[in-house]
């Protein structure tokens, strides 16, 4: 996440940014990077919807849930 420059002009504090992740939750799809990025943008109203299979890689899904709890997302 630190490799990218965040263009905060694209966000307005009063607007909700909707993000949709569709797919099976595998490490290679990088959902953990998306959670890290959303955590960096905590001052903005961001809503993430995750749609897909959570059963194939239960260890990865557990790690994602722990990250969500840690970041208080």
């Amino acid at each position: 996440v630190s490799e990218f420059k965040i263009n905060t002009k694209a966000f307005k504090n009063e607007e909700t940014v909707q993000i949709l992740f569709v797919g099976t939750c595998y490490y290679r799809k990088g959902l953990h990077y998306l959670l890290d990025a959303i955590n960096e943008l905590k001052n903005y109203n961001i809503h993430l919807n995750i749609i897909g299979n959570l059963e194939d890689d239960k260890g990865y899904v557990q790690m994602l849930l722990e990250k969500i709890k840690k970041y208080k997302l």
Side-chain angles (χ1 to χ4, degrees):
V1 176
S2 61
E3 296 176 23
F4 299 98
K5 185 176 181 182
I6 299 171
N7 180 5
T8 56
K9 293 178 185 176
F11 299 101
K12 294 181 181 176
N13 286 335
E14 66 275 0
E15 294 181 2
T16 299
V17 176
Q18 298 282 339
I19 299 173
L20 176 64
F21 175 90
V22 179
T24 303
C25 291
Y26 288 120
Y27 180 85
R28 70 174 188 260
K29 299 220 177 161
L31 187 53
H32 55 286
Y33 294 124
L34 181 56
L35 293 176
D36 291 341
I38 291 171
N39 185 56
E40 291 291 320
L41 296 169
K42 272 191 176 174
N43 294 335
Y44 300 93
N45 191 9
I46 299 175
H47 184 88
L48 171 63
N49 289 295
I50 301 171
I51 299 174
N53 184 349
L54 302 176
E55 298 295 320
D56 288 350
D57 192 345
K58 291 182 181 182
Y60 181 61
V61 170
Q62 183 61 39
M63 186 270 293
L64 294 174
L65 292 172
E66 290 170 8
K67 199 173 266 241
I68 289 167
K69 184 176 179 179
K70 174 184 171 185
Y71 291 160
K72 298 178 182 173
L73 299 177

